[in-house]
Amino acid sequence: MSAVFYRSMDHEYPVAVRASGMHIYDRTGHEYLDMSGGAAVSCVGHQHPEIVAAINEQIGTLAYAHTAFFSNRPQEELAAMLADRFAEPDARVYFTSGGSEANETAIKMAYQYWRAKGHNNKTTIIGREHSYHGNTIGALSISGNLARRKPVTGLLHNWPRIEPNYARYYRRENESEADYSVRSASLLEDAIQAIGPDNVAAFIAEPVVGATLGAVPASAGYFKEIRKICDRHEVLLILDEVMCGTGRTGRFFAHEFDGVVPDIVTLAKGLSGGYMPLSATLVRRCIADAFEQGQARFSHGHTHVGHAAACAAGLSVLEVLGRYQLIGSVEDKGRCLDDALRQHFGDDARVVDFRGRGLLRAIELDPEALRAGVTGHSPPVSIVERLRNAAMRQGLICYPGMARIHDKDRYHILLAPPFIVENRHFDEAADKLRGVLNEVCGG
Ligand SMILES: Cc1ncc(COP(=O)(O)O)c(C=O)c1O
């Protein structure tokens, strides 16, 4: 009997013992093709020797020195590298250990920024429905992932959320994409006006919605409108690129596609590719200035902020991404993955949509077909769990999810493979996915 408090107490987890490139192996020798990098984490593949060596070297020299006392070389170099990639000069970077912490940092920074500027009432953070920003209380409070909010609703702040930007379900008939973008963004202006601009600190959104909706990029022009609205009402724009950043869409920052510059952007997952827990909250110079010039201290901090070995992992991941031009290959590989999925499932009525950007892609499944396969499971296993378990049996790691939109459950399977993925993996993954659908839909 294990002493581990597992995510799910009634599930038996295989024990992973080693990994290499695109694969993870469990202790029975079963091989899993990692087509989602876990949860879009692994971007350079597993056990990359250069990254393992860089981490070992850092740990052999200086694993950790508390950042209340010291800075360290990997933190300095990684911050400079990230700031260099940002659209504006002199950005500042705050390092934490996971996506939730990065978003907690972002909302605390927005709140304290406005206090430093003398706007003490600017405290509300507006989010979007069907979004996910993390599982800590603050990050979950700004999230619209209903399944994750529900068990702890009473603990959460009651902050407002606007409709997501998702043309497939929210664009009106005969509405052009441009008109939809403007109308969809205007919902933020309505929300700001309802609360009063003097009370709103920030708006947060994922440029490509990941886990909750399954790889949904914004309609063209949406974020440009959002940026204008934020500027008009002095509301900070926080973009959560925990899942879609660090090259996953084909550009280093996902917001480069949207042609906007956020005030704060958060990164995690691919930033250290799973080699160490690491996240970053990057802020524009003008935000950092308010703390530097206003004699205000940013009141925050965790024990492992700026962890030397974690930052060394991040640094090495960025070096490997650059040396092998991996981000440059993401758009092409994403297109090939999409083509392969359409070839395999274009005529399959169980698959109703193909979407995504770069190597953040998803298929949407017909809920009726999925429900047809549900036959008296006891205890009831959700369809999402059934999809994940069936995939594991097929030797496939993918990331299924569900969102309830217009009173209907919409299921998707997210695919976010490491950037080293090759064409042959796409057909293999599609064959395994067919096995998953056959098992779950009973076809
Ligand atoms: C967009 C986004 N933000 C934040 C988080 C939370 O990150 P973490 O699980 O590392 O705390 C996630 C995790 O899936 C995410 O996808």
Side-chain angles (χ1 to χ4, degrees):
M1 175 99 164
S2 172
V4 175
F5 197 123
Y6 290 116
R7 284 177 176 238
S8 173
M9 291 298 196
D10 55 4
H11 182 76
E12 212 168 302
Y13 293 88
V15 177
V17 289
R18 68 186 177 89
S20 169
M22 287 291 299
H23 296 96
I24 295 181
Y25 301 85
D26 72 19
R27 70 174 165 202
T28 68
H30 198 118
E31 179 185 88
Y32 303 85
L33 175 64
D34 190 359
M35 279 300 285
S36 62
V41 172
S42 181
C43 57
V44 291
H46 297 276
Q47 300 306 115
H48 195 292
E50 290 169 50
I51 299 168
V52 173
I55 296 168
N56 282 340
E57 195 186 327
Q58 185 60 45
I59 289 178
T61 320
L62 171 81
Y64 170 73
H66 197 295
T67 49
F69 304 95
F70 298 102
S71 186
N72 60 71
R73 180 196 58 84
Q75 163 171 258
E76 294 291 341
E77 288 183 15
L78 183 57
M81 231 167 168
L82 293 175
D84 254 8
R85 289 177 183 259
F86 192 62
E88 285 186 0
D90 296 328
R92 294 289 156 89
V93 190
Y94 196 105
F95 291 109
T96 44
S97 306
S100 308
E101 278 185 14
N103 286 324
E104 292 283 343
T105 304
I107 58 181
K108 275 191 173 178
M109 210 172 270
Y111 176 91
Q112 292 183 51
Y113 165 80
W114 287 119
R115 290 183 81 80
K117 308 265 291 180
H119 296 280
N120 291 352
N121 292 333
K122 278 184 159 301
T123 58
T124 299
I125 314 287
I126 302 178
R128 298 194 299 183
E129 296 296 353
H130 308 306
S131 60
Y132 183 59
H133 303 296
N135 247 334
T136 49
I137 302 299
L140 197 54
S141 292
I142 51 176
S143 300
N145 184 313
L146 299 180
R148 293 180 189 179
R149 290 176 63 95
K150 200 171 163 203
V152 291
T153 311
L155 291 175
L156 303 179
H157 294 277
N158 197 14
W159 279 325
R161 295 188 297 280
I162 62 168
E163 193 176 281
N165 174 263
Y166 189 6
R168 175 169 168 77
Y169 288 113
Y170 294 92
R171 186 163 85 175
R172 291 178 184 152
E173 240 178 79
N174 302 324
E175 190 175 37
S176 70
E177 183 170 1
D179 287 348
Y180 170 60
S181 294
V182 172
R183 183 176 59 80
S184 176
S186 75
L187 299 174
L188 174 61
E189 188 144 48
D190 295 346
I192 293 172
Q193 264 154 356
I195 303 154
D198 289 347
N199 302 318
V200 183
F203 170 65
I204 184 161
E206 298 161 76
V208 181
V209 182
T212 319
L213 290 179
V216 175
S219 57
Y222 171 78
F223 275 109
K224 282 198 170 139
E225 287 300 315
I226 290 284
R227 179 72 268 184
K228 281 190 229 161
I229 293 164
C230 287
D231 288 343
R232 221 166 18 242
H233 298 290
E234 294 196 297
V235 167
L236 297 184
L237 175 59
I238 304 172
L239 292 182
D240 176 348
E241 300 206 8
V242 164
M243 186 176 271
C244 61
T246 326
R248 180 139 299 277
T249 61
R251 311 264 168 92
F252 187 79
F253 291 109
H255 64 255
E256 292 172 47
F257 279 98
D258 300 293
V260 293
V261 179
D263 298 301
I264 304 180
V265 57
T266 54
L267 299 169
K269 297 186 186 271
L271 181 60
S272 56
Y275 288 86
M276 281 278 170
L278 179 68
S279 57
T281 305
L282 182 148
V283 302
R284 285 169 88 176
R285 168 73 190 263
C286 56
I287 309 287
D289 277 354
F291 291 96
E292 277 163 25
Q293 292 163 3
Q295 281 150 30
R297 189 172 166 270
F298 178 45
S299 180
H300 190 48
H302 301 275
T303 304
H304 288 135
V305 160
H307 193 282
C311 288
L315 204 52
S316 185
V317 165
L318 293 201
E319 280 163 4
V320 164
L321 287 174
R323 189 169 317 126
Y324 302 102
Q325 294 168 9
L326 290 175
I327 296 178
S329 71
V330 164
E331 277 192 89
D332 270 353
K333 287 184 176 179
R335 260 190 296 275
C336 290
L337 172 55
D338 190 54
D339 286 348
L341 291 168
R342 285 173 196 271
Q343 250 169 37
H344 283 267
F345 298 107
D347 296 328
D348 188 331
R350 299 172 298 186
V351 179
V352 296
D353 193 33
F354 304 86
R355 57 177 177 252
R357 179 168 284 162
L359 281 172
L360 186 56
R361 308 212 79 92
I363 53 173
E364 184 174 328
L365 306 173
D366 175 17
E368 305 307 329
L370 290 167
R371 259 194 301 276
V374 177
T375 46
H377 283 267
S378 177
V381 180
S382 75
I383 287 177
V384 168
E385 283 170 288
R386 297 189 65 211
L387 287 166
R388 189 171 43 236
N389 296 344
M392 290 289 279
R393 278 191 286 278
Q394 294 283 333
L396 176 71
I397 299 171
C398 59
Y399 194 3
M402 187 275 281
R404 192 165 178 80
I405 301 174
H406 303 326
D407 293 327
K408 212 168 182 184
D409 295 341
R410 320 278 173 176
Y411 293 92
H412 63 262
I413 295 179
L414 191 77
L415 297 171
F419 308 166
I420 56 163
V421 70
E422 292 171 24
N423 279 350
R424 67 195 161 93
H425 298 123
F426 300 150
D427 288 327
E428 185 186 336
D431 286 338
K432 289 177 188 294
L433 276 173
R434 186 171 300 103
V436 171
L437 295 185
N438 290 346
E439 181 182 326
V440 176
C441 301

mmCIF file of all heavy atoms in Angstrom, residues 22 57 78 103 107 115 124 154 179 216 236 267 278 315 347 355 372:
data_model
loop_
_atom_site.group_PDB
_atom_site.id
_atom_site.type_symbol
_atom_site.label_atom_id
_atom_site.label_comp_id
_atom_site.label_asym_id
_atom_site.label_seq_id
_atom_site.Cartn_x
_atom_site.Cartn_y
_atom_site.Cartn_z
ATOM 1 N N MET A 22 11.243 11.116 -27.192
ATOM 2 C CA MET A 22 9.780 11.204 -27.268
ATOM 3 C C MET A 22 9.076 10.193 -26.345
ATOM 4 O O MET A 22 7.860 10.112 -26.362
ATOM 5 C CB MET A 22 9.324 10.922 -28.709
ATOM 6 C CG MET A 22 9.616 12.028 -29.701
ATOM 7 S SD MET A 22 8.620 13.496 -29.399
ATOM 8 C CE MET A 22 6.955 12.873 -29.612
ATOM 9 N N GLU A 57 26.178 20.208 -13.675
ATOM 10 C CA GLU A 57 27.301 21.114 -13.433
ATOM 11 C C GLU A 57 26.904 22.202 -12.436
ATOM 12 O O GLU A 57 27.636 22.525 -11.506
ATOM 13 C CB GLU A 57 27.741 21.740 -14.751
ATOM 14 C CG GLU A 57 29.108 22.384 -14.646
ATOM 15 C CD GLU A 57 29.499 23.128 -15.909
ATOM 16 O OE1 GLU A 57 29.106 22.675 -17.015
ATOM 17 O OE2 GLU A 57 30.179 24.160 -15.781
ATOM 18 N N LEU A 78 19.545 34.029 -17.458
ATOM 19 C CA LEU A 78 18.234 33.655 -18.005
ATOM 20 C C LEU A 78 17.322 34.883 -18.093
ATOM 21 O O LEU A 78 16.605 35.079 -19.083
ATOM 22 C CB LEU A 78 17.597 32.546 -17.153
ATOM 23 C CG LEU A 78 16.266 32.000 -17.651
ATOM 24 C CD1 LEU A 78 16.369 31.452 -19.069
ATOM 25 C CD2 LEU A 78 15.741 30.909 -16.709
ATOM 26 N N ASN A 103 1.547 33.258 -12.031
ATOM 27 C CA ASN A 103 0.342 34.088 -12.159
ATOM 28 C C ASN A 103 -0.010 34.767 -10.832
ATOM 29 O O ASN A 103 -0.512 35.890 -10.841
ATOM 30 C CB ASN A 103 -0.815 33.249 -12.708
ATOM 31 C CG ASN A 103 -0.632 32.972 -14.191
ATOM 32 O OD1 ASN A 103 -0.131 33.826 -14.922
ATOM 33 N ND2 ASN A 103 -1.004 31.784 -14.637
ATOM 34 N N ILE A 107 -0.496 38.813 -10.529
ATOM 35 C CA ILE A 107 -1.641 39.590 -10.014
ATOM 36 C C ILE A 107 -1.239 40.409 -8.788
ATOM 37 O O ILE A 107 -1.709 41.524 -8.601
ATOM 38 C CB ILE A 107 -2.909 38.725 -9.758
ATOM 39 C CG1 ILE A 107 -2.668 37.592 -8.776
ATOM 40 C CG2 ILE A 107 -3.456 38.175 -11.049
ATOM 41 C CD1 ILE A 107 -3.916 36.717 -8.530
ATOM 42 N N ARG A 115 -1.005 50.451 -6.410
ATOM 43 C CA ARG A 115 -0.848 51.096 -5.092
ATOM 44 C C ARG A 115 0.371 52.021 -5.114
ATOM 45 O O ARG A 115 0.330 53.129 -4.577
ATOM 46 C CB ARG A 115 -0.723 50.051 -3.991
ATOM 47 C CG ARG A 115 -2.028 49.298 -3.747
ATOM 48 C CD ARG A 115 -1.906 48.321 -2.598
ATOM 49 N NE ARG A 115 -2.062 48.971 -1.300
ATOM 50 C CZ ARG A 115 -3.225 49.299 -0.761
ATOM 51 N NH1 ARG A 115 -4.352 49.057 -1.418
ATOM 52 N NH2 ARG A 115 -3.292 49.881 0.411
ATOM 53 N N THR A 124 -9.421 44.816 -8.581
ATOM 54 C CA THR A 124 -10.120 43.686 -9.229
ATOM 55 C C THR A 124 -9.326 43.165 -10.429
ATOM 56 O O THR A 124 -8.790 43.947 -11.220
ATOM 57 C CB THR A 124 -11.516 44.154 -9.713
ATOM 58 O OG1 THR A 124 -12.249 44.574 -8.570
ATOM 59 C CG2 THR A 124 -12.270 43.027 -10.411
ATOM 60 N N GLY A 154 -15.914 27.880 -2.491
ATOM 61 C CA GLY A 154 -16.040 28.728 -1.300
ATOM 62 C C GLY A 154 -14.742 29.406 -0.902
ATOM 63 O O GLY A 154 -14.758 30.360 -0.116
ATOM 64 N N ASP A 179 -15.523 41.645 -37.146
ATOM 65 C CA ASP A 179 -16.619 42.154 -36.302
ATOM 66 C C ASP A 179 -16.715 41.358 -35.009
ATOM 67 O O ASP A 179 -16.970 41.907 -33.928
ATOM 68 C CB ASP A 179 -17.960 42.064 -37.042
ATOM 69 C CG ASP A 179 -18.056 43.127 -38.134
ATOM 70 O OD1 ASP A 179 -17.194 44.033 -38.140
ATOM 71 O OD2 ASP A 179 -18.973 43.027 -38.989
ATOM 72 N N VAL A 216 -7.144 26.823 -28.461
ATOM 73 C CA VAL A 216 -7.981 27.793 -29.174
ATOM 74 C C VAL A 216 -7.273 29.155 -29.254
ATOM 75 O O VAL A 216 -7.187 29.878 -28.257
ATOM 76 C CB VAL A 216 -9.362 27.951 -28.488
ATOM 77 C CG1 VAL A 216 -10.167 29.050 -29.169
ATOM 78 C CG2 VAL A 216 -10.114 26.635 -28.517
ATOM 79 N N LEU A 236 -4.034 46.885 -16.543
ATOM 80 C CA LEU A 236 -2.870 46.143 -17.038
ATOM 81 C C LEU A 236 -3.316 44.898 -17.799
ATOM 82 O O LEU A 236 -4.290 44.243 -17.419
ATOM 83 C CB LEU A 236 -1.954 45.741 -15.884
ATOM 84 C CG LEU A 236 -1.304 46.882 -15.090
ATOM 85 C CD1 LEU A 236 -0.337 46.329 -14.045
ATOM 86 C CD2 LEU A 236 -0.585 47.870 -15.999
ATOM 87 N N LEU A 267 5.459 32.723 -17.984
ATOM 88 C CA LEU A 267 5.963 31.531 -18.672
ATOM 89 C C LEU A 267 6.204 30.441 -17.638
ATOM 90 O O LEU A 267 6.501 30.746 -16.479
ATOM 91 C CB LEU A 267 7.298 31.831 -19.362
ATOM 92 C CG LEU A 267 7.345 32.903 -20.454
ATOM 93 C CD1 LEU A 267 8.809 33.224 -20.795
ATOM 94 C CD2 LEU A 267 6.604 32.440 -21.703
ATOM 95 N N LEU A 278 10.184 25.477 -12.828
ATOM 96 C CA LEU A 278 10.620 26.865 -13.080
ATOM 97 C C LEU A 278 9.517 27.635 -13.782
ATOM 98 O O LEU A 278 8.857 27.109 -14.685
ATOM 99 C CB LEU A 278 11.874 26.863 -13.977
ATOM 100 C CG LEU A 278 12.428 28.240 -14.356
ATOM 101 C CD1 LEU A 278 13.018 28.956 -13.131
ATOM 102 C CD2 LEU A 278 13.505 28.123 -15.449
ATOM 103 N N LEU A 315 18.053 28.020 -18.699
ATOM 104 C CA LEU A 315 19.086 28.570 -19.581
ATOM 105 C C LEU A 315 19.494 27.531 -20.618
ATOM 106 O O LEU A 315 19.609 27.820 -21.819
ATOM 107 C CB LEU A 315 20.288 28.923 -18.693
ATOM 108 C CG LEU A 315 21.284 29.960 -19.138
ATOM 109 C CD1 LEU A 315 20.599 31.249 -19.531
ATOM 110 C CD2 LEU A 315 22.275 30.217 -17.986
ATOM 111 N N ASP A 347 -12.721 11.840 -42.118
ATOM 112 C CA ASP A 347 -14.000 11.185 -42.440
ATOM 113 C C ASP A 347 -14.595 10.465 -41.235
ATOM 114 O O ASP A 347 -15.538 9.681 -41.386
ATOM 115 C CB ASP A 347 -13.793 10.139 -43.564
ATOM 116 C CG ASP A 347 -13.364 10.816 -44.852
ATOM 117 O OD1 ASP A 347 -13.789 11.966 -45.073
ATOM 118 O OD2 ASP A 347 -12.577 10.196 -45.608
ATOM 119 N N ARG A 355 -7.858 21.863 -34.617
ATOM 120 C CA ARG A 355 -7.485 23.266 -34.416
ATOM 121 C C ARG A 355 -6.149 23.388 -33.689
ATOM 122 O O ARG A 355 -5.576 22.384 -33.238
ATOM 123 C CB ARG A 355 -8.575 23.978 -33.603
ATOM 124 C CG ARG A 355 -8.847 23.310 -32.259
ATOM 125 C CD ARG A 355 -9.874 24.098 -31.471
ATOM 126 N NE ARG A 355 -10.208 23.447 -30.231
ATOM 127 C CZ ARG A 355 -11.352 22.826 -29.973
ATOM 128 N NH1 ARG A 355 -12.315 22.763 -30.887
ATOM 129 N NH2 ARG A 355 -11.568 22.278 -28.793
ATOM 130 N N ALA A 372 -22.128 7.363 -26.029
ATOM 131 C CA ALA A 372 -22.642 6.060 -26.469
ATOM 132 C C ALA A 372 -21.804 4.926 -25.888
ATOM 133 O O ALA A 372 -22.288 3.802 -25.686
ATOM 134 C CB ALA A 372 -22.626 5.987 -27.998
#
